[in-house]
Amino acid sequence: MFTADQLVAHAVGDYILQSHWMATEKTKQHTAAAIHAVTYTLPFLLITQSPAALAVICGTHFLIDRYRLARYVVWLKNGARGPVTATGYADDVPPWMAVWLLIAADNILHVICNAVAIATL
């Protein structure tokens, strides 16, 4: 469903083009999240010129990052017990592990959204 090009575009957009300011502020303010979402979307111009697909890639990236939606996916996956934590994992999970598993879930959400947008729009 997704291609190597899409994975490379995701990695470039999310890791190379994202500044420290974007990374630390995107969950706190709309401006940082919006700037990150737009710069994240730029590499996808090499894959698709569909305005609808690019809008979905940008919009879903903004929403997933701004509201840290991956933590809710993790929380639901783990049985939705207790309050939602910053990572979605219970407090007894080692912090380093909870953060890396959240990063993995976040990346998977982005890749799925991107693949669906490119394949269908």
Side-chain angles (χ1 to χ4, degrees):
M1 182 151 170
F2 57 86
T3 66
D5 291 347
Q6 292 172 18
L7 293 175
V8 170
H10 166 72
V12 169
D14 222 11
Y15 295 102
I16 294 175
L17 298 180
Q18 181 173 204
S19 70
H20 176 73
W21 172 77
M22 291 177 209
T24 59
E25 298 299 317
K26 67 186 177 185
T27 61
K28 301 173 192 169
Q29 56 173 296
H30 292 318
T31 302
I35 292 169
H36 170 55
V38 169
T39 58
Y40 170 83
T41 305
L42 294 175
F44 289 92
L45 287 167
L46 299 173
I47 297 170
T48 183
Q49 285 73 51
S50 165
L54 294 167
V56 168
I57 290 168
C58 186
T60 58
H61 200 86
F62 173 84
L63 292 171
I64 291 167
D65 280 12
R66 173 64 180 92
Y67 300 105
R68 200 176 280 163
L69 296 182
R71 69 180 164 162
Y72 296 102
V73 172
V74 168
W75 179 72
L76 288 169
K77 171 191 75 86
N78 290 328
R81 291 185 292 272
V84 179
T85 63
T87 62
Y89 285 93
D91 291 333
D92 61 345
V93 175
W96 67 268
M97 184 183 297
V99 167
W100 281 107
L101 291 172
L102 176 65
I103 290 169
D106 175 79
N107 279 276
I108 290 167
L109 284 179
H110 291 308
V111 168
I112 290 169
C113 290
N114 299 344
V116 169
I118 290 167
T120 62
L121 299 173

